[in-house]
Amino acid sequence: MTTSPYDAIVLGAGAAGLMCAAVAGQRGKRVLLLDHADQVGKKILISGGGRCNFTNVNTAPDRFLSANPHFAKSALARYTPADFIALVERHGIAYHEKTLGQLFCDGSAKAIVAMLLAEAAAAGVEIRTGQPVRAVDHADGRFRVQFGEASFSATALVIATGGPSIPKMGATGFAYDLARQFGLKVVEPRPALVPLTLGGDDVLFRELSGIAAPVEARAGKAAFREAALFTHKGLSGPAILQVSSYWRHGEPVTIDFLPGAPKDWLLDAKRARPRATLHAALGTMLPDRLAETLAERLALPGELAAQTDRKIADAESRLARWIFHPNGTEGFAKAEVTVGGISTAGLSSQTMVAKTVPNLYAVGEAVDVTGWLGGYNFQWAWASGHAAGQVI
Ligand SMILES: Cc1cc2nc3c(=O)[nH]c(=O)nc-3n(C[C@H](O)[C@H](O)[C@H](O)COP(=O)(O)OP(=O)(O)OC[C@H]3O[C@@H](n4cnc5c(N)ncnc54)[C@H](O)[C@@H]3O)c2cc1C
């Protein structure tokens, strides 16, 4: 059993923990970074299809979900995408903007982990991995962490163990257990940025597995215009992943299959091509099998000319507000992130310190702040890790 005099122990060597430890170390703090996985930054390595969508230049507080939508503002304003881009450039990592402000490495996500490890090493951060955190306690103004057979203590403790999304990557709900142990509340965690499953009447759409189309998807008040993808279980693709974060069990998801089409386009099609079928008219704008399925469901057989204008107008409005009733999500096993987590009500938005437990901090995905798809979640990890790293 060893007890070392650290200023801070950071639990979790993912995006937020690595950033927090490096920033604190650069300020001369003695920092120990612990992770139960055998390798640090595993989610960074698999992120963005292996190229890590490390930030989004359009980062703004309204692109984050939280019970307190104001909470993320301070940290996001003090560590911006430009700050992270400057770090990436200092390390000579080539990158590009893919779409919608999303920045990806030109090469492998390994470069981002290597960069964070280099920053941590230069700051004198000690990293230990591959042992379970067996116990954490707090006495006489110090936190004690039992890590495998070893025991360490420090003045400050940072919870950076992320959320439970993708357990096979080593993700756990440990952050929530720890938060509760110290009297912090946890907003019910839900899988987010996750495919939705279809059952009942919608099950026929599963036959379209593999087909994608640009749509506008809505859940509650949120709407995203991106691609949707049919899968053998239901719906996926960026538009669906985005709305999944807002979707609640029992609620519908509405899809506009032709978000760019002008009003009355189907009536115009009837006038321009009266002999065409609905399937053919739709087929000019949508993948053929999707056009066929939608036309079948709209049940307007024969030529467009044979339909009343009223029926044509009704079909057009159904295509603009097609209602799906997902029966669930593919769960934490397939979710990119977790909505909910350690309640921001118990944390300072300036420093991420717990209001009721001196020197206890929570950062990253463990906290009830969740970004949209597109690099926002890493930006939150960097910004919140930086905010805590500056003060511990
Ligand atoms: C497949 C996939 C792709 C993604 N792609 C992107 C993307 O391109 N852009 C983007 O912005 N976001 C992406 N995300 C989300 C992003 O990875 C997370 O939001 C981000 O990693 C959160 O950072 P974090 O440091 O809070 O948690 P994590 O990066 O998850 O780090 C938590 C660390 O804590 C450790 N840990 C967990 N439990 C314990 C425990 N009990 N004891 C000790 N250590 C523990 C874990 O091993 C891990 O190293 C993706 C997520 C997934 C799953």
Side-chain angles (χ1 to χ4, degrees), residues 220-373:
K221 288 187 183 140
F224 292 90
R225 200 182 269 206
E226 280 186 72
L229 170 72
F230 291 94
T231 72
H232 64 290
K233 289 189 177 161
L235 295 167
S236 188
I240 300 301
L241 298 180
Q242 296 281 32
V243 294
S244 74
S245 302
Y246 292 85
W247 179 77
R248 299 273 184 168
H249 271 272
E251 289 178 359
V253 165
T254 311
I255 291 191
D256 180 349
F257 280 108
L258 296 159
K263 191 169 164 358
D264 294 334
W265 69 269
L266 195 51
L267 277 172
D268 293 344
K270 176 182 163 181
R271 314 252 187 276
R273 295 171 62 205
R275 314 294 304 267
T277 61
L278 179 58
H279 174 183
L282 282 172
T284 61
M285 296 189 279
L286 291 170
D288 186 61
R289 277 177 54 216
L290 174 58
E292 184 183 13
T293 302
L294 292 172
E296 270 169 19
R297 299 217 128 200
L298 289 166
L300 297 183
E303 297 171 354
L304 289 175
Q307 310 300 332
T308 63
D309 282 3
R310 177 65 192 270
K311 281 190 173 168
I312 293 277
D314 285 351
E316 184 181 316
S317 47
R318 269 193 75 194
L319 288 162
R321 278 184 294 279
W322 199 278
I323 297 174
F324 288 95
H325 293 282
N327 60 6
T329 74
E330 290 195 32
F332 284 116
K334 292 283 159 62
E336 264 191 31
V337 288
T338 306
V339 159
I342 300 173
S343 171
T344 59
L347 302 174
S348 155
S349 62
Q350 307 283 313
T351 63
M352 306 293 136
V353 75
K355 289 176 181 167
T356 49
V357 187
N359 299 316
L360 176 68
Y361 297 78
V363 296
E365 197 182 320
V367 177
D368 172 30
V369 173
T370 309
W372 286 2
L373 185 76

Side-chain angles (χ1 to χ4, degrees), residues 12 14-16 35-36 47-48 53 161 166 172 174 336 364-365 375 377-378:
D35 202 297
H36 69 165
S47 68
N53 175 195
T161 51
I166 322 261
T172 65
F174 183 66
E336 264 191 31
E365 197 182 320
N377 285 292
F378 279 136

Side-chain angles (χ1 to χ4, degrees), residues 11-18 34-37 39-44 46-49 51-55 104 131-133 147 160-163 165-166 169-175 193 334-337 363-366 372-381 384:
L11 291 181
L18 280 160
L34 300 176
D35 202 297
H36 69 165
Q39 203 185 1
V40 305
K42 277 187 167 181
K43 276 196 189 167
I44 301 174
I46 59 160
S47 68
R51 292 189 192 274
C52 186
N53 175 195
F54 54 79
T55 193
F104 285 76
Q131 296 291 328
V133 175
F147 185 66
T161 51
S165 300
I166 322 261
M169 299 298 303
T172 65
F174 183 66
L193 300 183
K334 292 283 159 62
E336 264 191 31
V337 288
V363 296
E365 197 182 320
W372 286 2
L373 185 76
Y376 297 101
N377 285 292
F378 279 136
Q379 189 57 37
W380 169 246
S384 58

